[in-house]
Amino acid sequence: MEYYGKILCISYHDLTCGENPIMSVPNYKKLSSTGKINVVRSGRGLGGYALVEVATLPKRFQEKIKEKYGDMKEDILRNWFGSNFRIDARAREFYTKFRFENGDALPPEHINEYTVNASVIEAVLAVMEDAVLMRKAMKGGPVNWGEMAGAISYYQSEFGHTLPMSANRFKRRVNEFRTRGYESLISGKFMNQNRRKVTYGIEKLLLSLDAQPEQPYNTTVYENYNLFLQGERELFDPDTGEILNPADFTDKDGNPIVLSPATVAAYLNKPKNKAFRAKLHMSQWDFNNAYRPYHLRRVGEYSLSKISLDDRDLPRPMKDGNRVKAYYAYDVVSGAVVGYAHNRLKTAELFLDCMRNMFQTLDRNGMYIPAELEVEHHLVSDFADGLMQAGTVFPLIRWCNPGNSREKRAEHMNRAKKYGVEKLSQVGIGRWYAKLEANRPKEEKVYDEKNNTYKVKSYTYDELVADDIRSIHEYNNQLHPNQKRFPGMTRWDVLCSKQNPDLAPWDKAVLYRFIGFRTDTTIKNNSFFTVQYNNFILPDPEIISKLEPRNYKVEAYYLPDTDGNITEVYIYQHDRYIATCKPVKRYNENTAEQTEADKEAYTEQAKYVAKFDKMIKDGKIKRVGILRKEESKAIENVKAEAVDVYVPNEEEDYSAYMDVAHFEADALAKV
């Protein structure tokens, strides 16, 4: 017999060969094929031979092995542990997830140690529950903890456990495990404050000394702490006025706990403490980017599912030293710019101009309204109860946290546009503090009385805007950065071909009330009004019934297209929608010069007049007679008499009386 790892085995040859085999070959094949015995190693390979686990053989064959190879009582426990020891996965999970009161985890080496120890004790408990095996091992007597510990110690080097070898200590450790479970194996030395030189109180004091507004060096904190212990510095709590006592920061013998500069620096620079200190000493923007966790996201599938907007200052200055303010609307999936605006000032009008440009682009390309807009509160908060209220114009609105540049997709696309397009065609693109030297523009300081002047080339407003618009078109027509997903496609190709199929068209009457231009005008002759020196006509004469009494004044909302033409105007009266109106098409009054367009324009105006005439005719007012009371009584007293009433013949011709020329001729004849 031999061990295969921790398992006591017998070879196939010893089982089936020799003068007195333990079992026959057919019997072996049947037991192994049905899985009733455990063949831990097959006989395949050069010089290999099969090994069978002794513990899995039927009892009659184990008795034959004892008769042939001798009594194995002395190794019963040792052999059983070698065959049945298994690592407890639940123990490893417990020690991996275990946390002390302050949130600390166990060191990796102790996780493995405690897992092995727990697995060994569980094997001991399992063998103790097998009454038959224990009677054989203990020869019918009580548990011999010395023998039990000895059997385990035989595998100490193989299993790697650190359980005590003393019988009494081993018994006590097993009984504690039976009572308290996995936690009983964790050493009480962990989290013992008496073993720490730097207690939690001292660590807290070091952080408090570092929290001064002047942001002291680590060495300054070290000096102030030790001077405090020597009584040369007095520390107090500014909230309560309590004076700190140096005697509270001594060891068990009453000696001050003096720290070295390296120890102070080590505790101040613990990852958790660095985050605490950064929150005090850094700006919110720097803290968010350096320490605050951020979400990991993936880009969606369809364009126009989400539009991200952001503003920026163009990097090159104007003649007056100021910079052009720009606002962009990026489609997140394609990365394309779908709207942009420029201004000398960063006002809400800059945002509105960007929205107008975006919808002009969408309208020109037959695209539907985006499903979601991602914006920040700056510049846009004034529209939170109108345009930027979810469900009013856009189905979804996402408000980004202020100062969190990672959150807005537009921030990343601004950088891609700046260093992927602008830097390749414009001089002076970059930042003076950029890490990469190539991204630091050349600046020469002028040493004058102000001592803050630099030689930087400047441009006119129109030059900067024109350059930026060119860069936008070049950026949109660059290959999409994810060519694996969109092979051979530009950003604009992805925008146009990958639109979300669930998008809906927008209602311009609602939209233009928020982003369009407004002018107050008056409806004249129940038909038309003037906007930007152009006449617009009501769609139907019946629209005048929606107007308020004695009020022909309306608010007209409109948005010119990219060519400056106004194709539709939406009129409201005190925020109540009235109608959508088209431009009045004028026609050439010279019949001989009229084109088909003139004839069509004439027909449209004639139809409107005809509709108006019909409305007037259908609504003709019928007069009622008016009598005084005495006249009414006199009529009641008159005796009714029959009179002859002339009834005209239906065949009589009255057309002459309806002809204006007839009345004119009759009037001339009488002169």
Side-chain angles (χ1 to χ4, degrees), residues 73-105:
K73 286 185 178 180
E74 294 180 359
D75 295 324
I76 287 177
L77 289 177
R78 187 177 300 170
N79 294 336
W80 191 92
F81 288 130
S83 302
N84 294 275
F85 176 79
R86 299 289 185 274
I87 292 294
D88 182 7
R90 290 181 302 175
R92 186 176 297 280
E93 180 182 7
F94 174 84
Y95 293 120
T96 301
K97 294 182 177 180
F98 180 82
R99 297 293 183 271
F100 293 99
E101 291 183 0
N102 70 339
D104 286 352

Side-chain angles (χ1 to χ4, degrees), residues 65 99 106 144 272 318 328 468 646:
I65 292 174
R99 297 293 183 271
L106 285 167
N144 188 324
K272 186 176 181 180
M318 293 184 287
Y328 304 110
D468 193 49
Y646 174 75

Side-chain angles (χ1 to χ4, degrees), residues 3 25 53 55 59 71 73 115 178 206 216-217 313 316 372 468 568 580 598 671:
Y3 279 94
V25 173
E53 184 178 358
K59 293 295 183 182
D71 191 5
K73 286 185 178 180
T115 300
R178 197 200 303 263
L206 294 177
Y217 297 114
D313 290 359
R316 299 181 299 170
E372 180 182 7
D468 193 49
E568 284 183 331
T580 301
D598 290 322
V671 174

